Structure formats: C-alpha cells, structure tokens
Amino acid sequence: MSSMEERMELGVAAAPGSSSSGLGVGPVGGALDAGPGSAGLAGIQEESGVRRDGSGSEADPDAPPKKRVRQQEGEAGKLEERLYSVLCCTVCLDLPKASVYQCTNGHLMCAGCFIHLLADARLKEEQATCPNCRCEISKSLCCRNLAVEKAVSELPSECSYCLKQFPRSSLERHQTEECQDRVTQCKYKRIGCPWQGPFHELSAHETECSHPSKTGMELMGILDEMDQSHRRELQLYNSIFSLLCFEKIGFTEVQFRPYRTDDFITRLYYETPRFTVLNQTWVLKGRVNDSERNPNLSCKRTLSFQLILKSKVNSALECSFLLLKGPYDDVKIKPVIQHHVFSNDANETEYALLPINDSVECNKLLAAKNINLRLFIFQIQK
C-alpha cells in the first residue's frame, strides 16, 4: 500500500517537462505526464480540432477561396464611416462639399482648405505644401479628383431637421424644399410677424396669425424700415447711372501683383503697373488687413486699396471711381463709389476697403497668382 501511495504522489507531482516515459497515472483531475505519449495525444487533439474547424495543415491550391468571417458591426464599423475617413479632407478632416483637389501624391483637400493654404503661403512668403507629405502645391500642380467628388456626393448624410438619411447630392434640395421639419417663416414677416417654426406647422400658424388684422398705423413703422433699405440700394444704382452720363469716362483692367516691403519684418502689399486712363497715369496699391504684423494668424482678412495719380496736373482733377471684379474672376465685389479731388499735393487717396463679402472671398484673391480687377474712373466737369 505504501508503494502504491508513493506512485500516486509521484504521478500527481510530475511536471510537464518531466523526462519519465509513458503516460502518468494519477487521480481524477490530476496532471498528465508530458512525455512522448502525451505529445502524441496533444497532436491528435489538435488535428481533430483542425478537422472540426474545416482547415487542414496543407491548403489545397484547387480549393475555392474561403469566405471571410463577417466581423461585427461594432468592430468593423459601417461602410460609410470607413469611407468618411478615407475621403475626408486632410486639413479640416471633413467631407468636401464641393470641389476636391489632390496633391501630386494623391492626398485630398477640399476647395476651401486648398485656397486657404495658398493664401497663407502668400502671406508668409513661403511655398505652399501639402499638410501630409509636404510636397509643393499650387493651382498648376494640383488637380481636381472627380471620382472622389462623385463618391462623396453619393454618401448618405443626415438631414439636420428630420434626421433621415439622404445622399449628399440631394440633401440640399431636401432641406430647402422637401423636408416637412425645415425651419420656415411666416409669409407676413414683411409686416413684422416674428414666427419661425417647422414647415408642417406653417399653414396652421398663418390661419391664426394676427398681423394681417393690424391697423395701418401699426404697420407704418415696419414699412418705413423697409423703405430705408430700399432707398439706399436705389441711391447707389442711381449714382452709378448718373456717372455713366458723364462726358469723360475711362476704365481699364488692372492687375495687382504681390510685393514685399524692405522692412526688417517684411509685409505683403500689392501694386499694379502704371496704366493710363483719361490721359493721366495712375497706380493702384493694395494691402492686407491694413498691413498688420502677422495677417496669417488672423481668421478675418480684408483687402484695402489706394488710387495714386502719378502724372502732374495743372489744375485740380475731381474724380469718382469704383473697383469691380475682372471678367474672368468669380470673386463677389459689391460696387462702392469713391470720390477724391486729385492735385499735385494730394495725389493719393485714403485706403478704402475692397467691398468683398467675407474672408473666404479674400482668400480667393490672395491664393491667386495676381489679382485682376476692373477700374472705372469718372471725371467730374466743373
């Protein structure tokens, strides 16, 4: 009995790396000897497990390709989310809404970020580079990626009103014309109704709106404000039509070219070559953000210009002038009439803001190699 107990204790205490041969004997739940026999048993178990899985150790070259195990949606993510990370702009990390540009290595940039990179490089007097690979970018080196633009337009996007999914190409039309939850205003807004609400509640509100029943005296204040805004617009266009009736009118295409000052900290400015209008020689100058020290650090950007008379005059020359966009540019410039009396002592006007809509339009001008505008000068006869 003692010898049997010793054998059982040895069987229980046998380590997996034991050199004893054969299969160890032990109680239920005890460890097995890791001898050659145990290795063979493990191999048999592994082979049987492989067979149960349906994959052998040697792949059959003639066998059809096996289907991939479908991953859970939480692990793999939706296809739209994966495409979002592939097709997004490398600068703002958002899906492009319009044109998509790519560098020579294929990195994508939306139109707004691409123009902004070119404008920043112009302000810092540097070569614009791709934010991913640092290769040079410009309007001549980069091209549009039409395949990506088409793919992005077909990706689903959520309506901000009804939260339903629509392709990006039709989302804008849905939000402005079709969505029943889009925000609308009462048709009596022109006479002071402040109501705003979803489209499906519009008809119910308009039947109960109290503004149509207001008296004429109550509506006079609202109509006066509307008349003032219309009067200012009408005055501008009437002034332009009056200037077109002048005897001496001249216009020309001007091209602003970028230059740098000779200061220790150089500043960007623009200047046109000398041009002749109304038998006089002129120059236009422009500056960014009123020549502040680091305009590239500011999100708000403006352009201002100055008209300089270069030729000598015998008497004062009273003129009105305005700048408009050139024939091949898409920048939006509002017409503003400037007025100045030129003489040999006062041959420069004050800097006036170029009447562009916002900083996005300013970046379009800065990103261009040159700024092309059209100048009109009207000489006022005494």
Side-chain angles (χ1 to χ4, degrees):
M1 289 292 295
S2 61
S3 61
M4 181 63 69
E5 292 174 357
E6 291 175 0
R7 289 176 184 174
M8 293 184 66
E9 290 174 359
L10 289 172
V12 171
S18 173
S19 61
S20 58
S21 61
L23 185 65
V25 180
V28 177
L32 297 176
D33 283 343
S38 64
L41 181 60
I44 293 172
Q45 293 175 348
E46 290 176 1
E47 183 178 357
S48 62
V50 168
R51 288 175 180 173
R52 283 196 299 270
D53 293 338
S55 60
S57 59
E58 294 181 3
D60 187 0
D62 298 330
K66 297 180 177 61
K67 293 183 178 180
R68 290 183 178 181
V69 179
R70 179 174 294 178
Q71 298 179 350
Q72 296 181 1
E73 185 174 300
E75 297 176 0
K78 293 183 179 179
L79 176 62
E80 294 85 359
E81 296 176 357
R82 287 179 284 166
L83 287 176
Y84 185 98
S85 61
V86 172
L87 302 177
C88 68
C89 170
T90 58
V91 182
C92 63
L93 303 181
D94 197 2
L95 283 180
K97 297 180 180 179
S99 304
V100 181
Y101 292 87
Q102 67 175 20
C103 72
T104 53
N105 292 326
H107 298 121
L108 304 176
M109 293 164 283
C110 65
C113 292
F114 177 65
I115 295 299
H116 203 283
L117 288 173
L118 297 182
D120 279 353
R122 173 60 55 83
L123 293 174
K124 293 185 288 188
E125 199 179 9
E126 297 176 356
Q127 172 62 47
T129 58
C130 171
N132 266 20
C133 60
R134 298 303 175 188
C135 70
E136 294 185 0
I137 59 173
S138 65
K139 286 190 175 180
S140 59
L141 294 175
C142 297
C143 62
R144 289 177 60 183
N145 193 320
L146 301 181
V148 172
E149 293 179 12
K150 182 64 176 176
V152 170
S153 68
E154 296 300 325
L155 285 177
S157 183
E158 189 177 81
C159 174
S160 57
Y161 304 119
C162 64
L163 305 182
K164 295 180 181 179
Q165 298 282 337
F166 294 92
R168 287 177 171 264
S169 57
S170 60
L171 180 63
E172 183 178 359
R173 180 170 57 87
H174 166 79
Q175 289 182 336
T176 56
E177 301 177 8
E178 301 173 354
C179 184
Q180 295 297 309
D181 294 330
R182 69 185 186 271
V183 178
T184 55
Q185 295 177 331
C186 178
K187 67 180 180 181
Y188 301 113
K189 175 192 173 183
R190 294 172 59 84
I191 56 175
C193 180
W195 183 87
Q196 287 186 347
F199 179 77
H200 61 82
E201 298 179 2
L202 178 62
S203 58
H205 163 77
E206 290 180 348
T207 56
E208 301 175 355
C209 184
S210 60
H211 282 73
S213 59
K214 284 190 174 183
T215 62
M217 291 299 297
E218 293 175 333
L219 298 177
M220 285 301 296
I222 302 171
L223 295 177
D224 286 341
E225 294 179 2
M226 296 172 57
D227 288 342
Q228 288 179 7
S229 62
H230 292 161
R231 196 177 298 114
R232 286 192 294 267
E233 294 180 1
L234 187 61
Q235 183 179 2
L236 171 64
Y237 290 107
N238 285 337
S239 300
I240 294 177
F241 291 139
S242 297
L243 292 174
L244 293 175
C245 299
F246 283 13
E247 180 182 356
K248 294 186 176 180
I249 302 174
F251 73 94
T252 185
E253 314 297 330
V254 294
Q255 186 179 80
F256 286 90
R257 297 176 182 175
Y259 296 96
R260 289 279 168 176
T261 61
D262 296 331
D263 303 334
F264 177 74
I265 300 177
T266 62
R267 289 181 172 85
L268 173 69
Y269 72 96
Y270 286 86
E271 188 173 334
T272 66
R274 295 193 178 196
F275 56 90
T276 302
V277 176
L278 299 178
N279 297 322
Q280 305 293 337
T281 304
W282 310 84
V283 166
L284 274 169
K285 285 187 176 181
R287 61 187 186 186
V288 183
N289 287 12
D290 289 330
S291 295
E292 68 178 6
R293 189 166 186 175
N294 293 309
N296 57 294
L297 302 180
S298 174
C299 294
K300 184 178 180 181
R301 291 175 182 171
T302 59
L303 272 173
S304 51
F305 68 96
Q306 177 188 46
L307 181 61
I308 304 173
L309 176 64
K310 287 295 184 179
S311 56
K312 299 295 182 179
V313 291
N314 298 325
S315 60
L317 186 65
E318 187 176 359
C319 294
S320 295
F321 60 95
L322 72 156
L323 274 176
L324 300 176
K325 73 180 188 70
Y328 305 109
D329 289 338
D330 60 347
V331 65
K332 299 175 182 177
I333 300 179
K334 299 177 181 178
V336 175
I337 301 173
Q338 309 291 338
H339 186 80
H340 187 75
V341 179
F342 293 92
S343 64
N344 294 330
D345 297 328
N347 63 337
E348 298 180 354
T349 67
E350 298 291 334
Y351 273 94
L353 285 176
L354 188 67
I356 51 182
N357 289 347
D358 50 25
S359 298
V360 176
E361 300 296 323
C362 185
N363 282 331
K364 288 182 181 179
L365 295 175
L366 294 175
K369 187 176 180 180
N370 298 305
I371 299 176
N372 299 303
L373 300 175
R374 176 172 285 177
L375 172 68
F376 286 85
I377 300 180
F378 308 90
Q379 183 177 349
I380 300 175
Q381 298 291 332
K382 295 183 179 180

